[in-house]
Amino acid sequence: MTVSRVGLVVHGGRAEALEAAGIVRAWCAERAVACTDIDVWRDGARRSAREEVESAGHPDLIVTLGGDGTFLRGARLAAENDALVLGVDLGRVGFLTEVPVTAVCSALDAVRDERFAVEDRMLLTVRASCRLEVPSDMEALLRYGRGPLLPPPRVRADCPSGDDWGIALNVTALNDVVLEKLSRDRQVSVAVYLAGRLLASYSADALLVATPTGSTAYSFAAGGPVVSPRAEALIFTPVAPHMAFNRSVVAAPDEPVVLRVLERSGPVAVSIDGQLRGVLDPGDWIGVYAAPRRLRAVRLGPMDFYGRLRERMRLTDAPAAVADGAAVPFWPVTTPPPEDLSHLALPAGPDAASRLPWNPASSAD
């Protein structure tokens, strides 16, 4: 593809990210490609995704240098501008980033030469009974040790609002939408509706709705299932609920999840992809839906999600299962699948690196 402008989202607190940013800028300069740093912390305030991409000149490729948190920042911008996003891995337990930092130049070459695939990732969007706002006294408290908060989500002007469907908010989530308690000594009380029907009323520390991408984030830590990022689903998970039914529920993408704060509950914080975006009071509600837009992530080779799951979570075989001292071998699929199995998506074999459309070893950095 023709890359006309690159937007850089950099984890400024990591020296290796700053060094990698210099490599990306040099790559762009050598090829007469415009490159703009997108610094969401600039001027002591946070801008909306629309303001950020406009200030950056509407980049067609967002490159993130950091871990999953940095990738989420870049994904928010890419989704707003319908741009591609390429994640360079500098994190520790991430699932979102695509390439190691040592291969950043060869990865950019592959994108420029169209030796890549676009992986669509499901996003969430929300409607609410009221606009989301963060009380000023809470914002001052939360700024301790953190950067400025994101601005309140804007109301979408391209779709009707009101009646039972509430206000359409211009916000998307790649990982999750979370309702959580504000006070340690008081849980949230929330009625949960799936596909327009009441499921249950919960008293819990938090309740969250995740995408398959977000199933390995907060939802996983709360006991939710691991779901392939290629799947289409909304995953509802209660966090430390005071009730016998504490299981996750996996809903179809056209089955919205609505969370209504009950009268006996205290105020509830609303976080979207880990960022506090507002507070709901008793009687308020928020609906979580599959977004019509998708995240367009650059994929440079076959994705081995389950191999990464094993690696990142440090999954090991139980001692009893390897009593003979031999580790379980990888499934040695080295031949093409038979005709009746040609539709399957299987990871590449052990020598897959030599067959990738880009060569990580050829990077000049």
Side-chain angles (χ1 to χ4, degrees), residues 6-360:
V6 171
L8 264 182
V9 180
V10 184
H11 190 309
R14 305 193 65 175
E16 60 267 40
L18 298 175
E19 181 180 352
I23 294 172
V24 175
R25 295 188 195 101
W27 184 93
C28 291
E30 291 174 3
R31 294 157 181 81
V33 175
C35 183
T36 304
D37 283 63
I38 305 178
D39 182 7
V40 299
W41 310 110
R42 184 177 297 146
D43 302 326
R46 295 293 295 272
R47 296 177 293 186
S48 69
R50 173 52 48 191
E51 291 169 332
E52 289 172 10
V53 295
E54 288 177 352
S55 177
H58 298 278
D60 42 36
L61 175 65
I62 301 290
V63 177
T64 72
L65 302 170
D68 279 2
T70 307
F71 186 88
L72 288 172
R73 286 166 50 194
R76 183 172 65 91
L77 304 173
E80 180 68 28
N81 206 47
D82 195 30
L84 293 172
V85 59
L86 171 66
V88 178
D89 188 13
L90 287 155
R92 297 177 178 85
V93 293
F95 284 86
L96 301 176
T97 47
E98 165 73 358
V99 299
V101 67
T102 54
V104 63
C105 284
S106 57
L108 290 170
D109 287 338
V111 174
R112 181 196 57 180
D113 298 339
E114 298 187 352
R115 291 180 286 115
F116 71 99
V118 176
E119 180 180 82
D120 288 339
R121 291 286 185 103
M122 178 180 175
L123 297 169
L124 300 176
T125 190
V126 301
R127 283 178 174 252
S129 58
C130 59
R131 297 193 63 164
L132 294 181
E133 300 281 353
V134 178
S136 58
D137 53 345
M138 175 181 293
E139 182 174 0
L141 177 64
L142 292 174
R143 281 194 179 188
Y144 178 77
R146 301 178 60 175
L149 296 175
L150 283 164
R154 294 178 291 114
V155 175
R156 290 178 57 192
D158 61 337
C159 58
S161 297
D163 300 325
D164 293 337
W165 296 98
I167 300 170
L169 300 179
N170 188 29
V171 65
T172 56
L174 176 60
N175 268 356
D176 48 44
V177 177
V178 180
L179 267 62
E180 53 193 332
K181 66 181 184 180
L182 288 173
S183 175
R184 182 179 180 184
D185 63 352
R186 187 169 188 178
Q187 292 193 312
V188 297
S189 296
V190 177
V192 178
Y193 301 79
L194 272 79
R197 304 292 290 179
L198 177 65
L199 172 68
S201 295
Y202 290 82
S203 179
D205 284 356
L207 303 110
L208 63 91
V209 182
T211 63
T213 296
S215 71
T216 52
Y218 190 6
S219 179
F220 175 83
V226 173
V227 180
S228 168
R230 300 177 63 243
E232 298 283 315
L234 278 72
I235 305 152
F236 164 72
T237 301
V239 181
H242 275 222
M243 60 188 300
F245 184 73
N246 60 356
R247 300 294 189 266
S248 297
V249 177
V250 180
D254 59 352
E255 296 176 333
V257 182
V258 176
L259 309 169
R260 182 183 296 275
V261 185
L262 299 178
E263 295 299 330
R264 61 180 178 273
S265 177
V268 176
V270 180
S271 296
I272 299 175
D273 278 350
Q275 297 281 338
L276 178 65
R277 303 304 299 272
V279 174
L280 297 180
D281 292 316
D284 295 334
W285 60 264
I286 190 168
V288 184
Y289 309 85
R293 70 176 68 171
R294 316 278 293 187
L295 179 69
R296 300 170 61 226
V298 171
R299 182 61 60 198
L300 298 173
M303 181 184 182
D304 185 8
F305 170 72
Y306 302 105
R308 179 172 289 194
L309 177 68
R310 177 187 177 94
E311 174 190 346
R312 298 292 188 172
M313 297 300 177
R314 298 183 178 180
L315 303 180
T316 57
D317 297 301
V322 291
D324 58 358
V328 176
F330 289 103
W331 188 17
V333 177
T334 57
T335 58
E339 184 177 349
D340 63 314
L341 300 179
S342 61
H343 64 287
L344 299 181
L346 297 175
D351 60 339
S354 63
R355 302 195 302 272
L356 288 175
W358 59 293
N359 184 3

